[in-house]
Amino acid sequence: MVCAEVSIVVPCYNEADNVAPLVTAVSAALKDRSWEVIFVDDNSPDGTINVVRRLAQQDERVRGLLRIGRKGLSSAVIEGILASSAPIVAVMDGDLQHDEACLPAMLDAIQNEQYDVAVASRHVEGGDSAGLSNKWRHFLSEQGIRLAKSLSVPVNDPMSGFFAVRREWFETVAPNLTGRGFKILMEMLLAAPKPVKVKEVPMVFRDRLHGESKLGPQVMIQFLIMIVEGLYKKPAVKRATFVTGGSIAGLLALFCIKRRLR
């Protein structure tokens, strides 16, 4: 088998019904390119990995990585990317809400335009977040955008879960990632050496067809902890700018900073 031009990493949990439609959609979007898809499954009770294995017997471009005793979207993404040999790796959710038609433009941005990261964005011209119905996701998106602006992160949609990176570039950033939480793009951009060359491709966020959102209060707490950790790595003036912005994440950061100073 010739090495794939791009690996698509799909972290998943209880996405058995979405595996086959996702592979079909990716195949249609990347019909002129060599690709593989790596499903990273956190031992889903619905048998997601079994569906992946059956497809892999029919299509060598499909791979499955089963994790037992380890959970979490960010760590699954990290493991999936590091398991790839392709020069470019894309990350997308397994719930079919990400528009696979964005993939060619994202790959071109890295291959031909020499960007480090390409993001499928809901917050640039032509993008839309119509499928973002979960209240937690709305809140996280708003707070993520505020954080990105205050810390000069070069992206309008830092909460996107659909992005592509040059694998060698990612490997230089990976040692600085905690692997906690579910918004790996935000943490990656905060941890990366600057400057980072990022291109955003417009994406219309779709409604979920199968399964349920995994978001809840625990994910919210993990997100806020990630923000605080990111703030401590930034100059004091940047921390002050974000904290005084009045966001909930900023207030939590202020509380934690005060506790550390006691």
Side-chain angles (χ1 to χ4, degrees):
M1 178 180 178
V2 177
C3 181
E5 179 181 348
V6 57
S7 295
I8 297 126
V9 173
V10 183
C12 50
Y13 186 77
N14 284 347
E15 302 287 5
D17 291 336
N18 295 329
V19 170
L22 180 58
V23 172
T24 299
V26 167
S27 181
L30 298 178
K31 56 185 177 181
D32 297 325
R33 302 176 187 258
S34 59
W35 57 273
E36 66 174 358
V37 58
I38 305 173
F39 290 92
V40 185
D41 179 51
D42 285 358
N43 200 23
S44 300
D46 74 344
T48 296
I49 193 64
N50 295 325
V51 177
V52 172
R53 287 169 174 164
R54 286 196 294 271
L55 277 175
Q57 292 176 349
Q58 305 167 19
D59 190 337
E60 62 181 4
R61 298 172 298 182
V62 178
R63 294 172 54 192
L65 178 59
L66 176 64
R67 305 201 310 167
I68 297 177
R70 304 191 304 286
K71 290 185 180 296
L73 188 146
S74 290
S75 60
V77 167
I78 293 170
E79 289 190 36
I81 293 177
L82 297 180
S84 168
S85 297
I88 300 174
V89 183
V91 175
M92 63 188 303
D93 289 348
D95 57 14
L96 304 177
Q97 291 187 281
H98 291 158
D99 184 0
E100 65 286 340
C102 296
L103 283 168
M106 295 163 69
L107 302 185
D108 286 341
I110 295 176
Q111 278 184 324
N112 303 327
E113 302 174 49
Q114 302 304 306
Y115 283 92
D116 301 314
V117 183
V119 178
S121 176
R122 299 159 293 184
H123 302 301
V124 294
E125 185 176 357
D128 191 272
S129 57
L132 196 66
S133 57
N134 183 290
K135 65 179 182 179
W136 293 111
R137 300 182 80 159
H138 270 295
F139 178 84
L140 291 172
S141 182
E142 292 171 359
Q143 295 302 314
I145 291 170
R146 295 191 70 172
L147 174 63
K149 289 181 178 179
S150 65
L151 298 181
S152 302
V153 176
V155 65
N156 291 299
D157 193 356
M159 306 303 287
S160 177
F162 189 10
F163 60 91
V165 297
R166 194 181 309 278
R167 183 177 51 78
E168 290 184 354
W169 177 87
F170 178 83
E171 289 174 351
T172 67
V173 178
N176 299 320
L177 303 177
T178 66
R180 295 196 297 269
F182 81 112
K183 286 303 178 184
I184 183 68
L185 175 62
M186 169 71 86
E187 185 182 13
M188 183 179 70
L189 293 175
L190 286 171
K194 303 301 183 291
V196 182
K197 294 183 62 179
V198 182
K199 180 172 183 177
E200 293 185 83
V201 173
M203 173 188 68
V204 176
F205 196 70
R206 300 185 295 215
D207 292 328
R208 172 184 279 271
L209 296 180
H210 303 289
E212 298 178 358
S213 174
K214 314 302 188 298
L215 300 186
Q218 182 179 1
V219 170
M220 178 70 66
I221 292 170
Q222 291 174 335
F223 170 70
L224 295 176
I225 289 173
M226 182 196 75
I227 289 176
V228 173
E229 291 175 340
L231 287 170
Y232 276 117
K233 297 176 182 178
K234 299 296 176 183
V237 64
K238 288 293 187 180
R239 293 200 299 266
T241 299
F242 180 64
V243 169
T244 56
S247 69
I248 291 178
L251 294 176
L252 177 67
L254 179 60
F255 173 74
C256 293
I257 290 170
K258 286 182 176 179
R259 285 181 61 87
R260 287 199 177 190
L261 292 176
R262 288 176 180 173

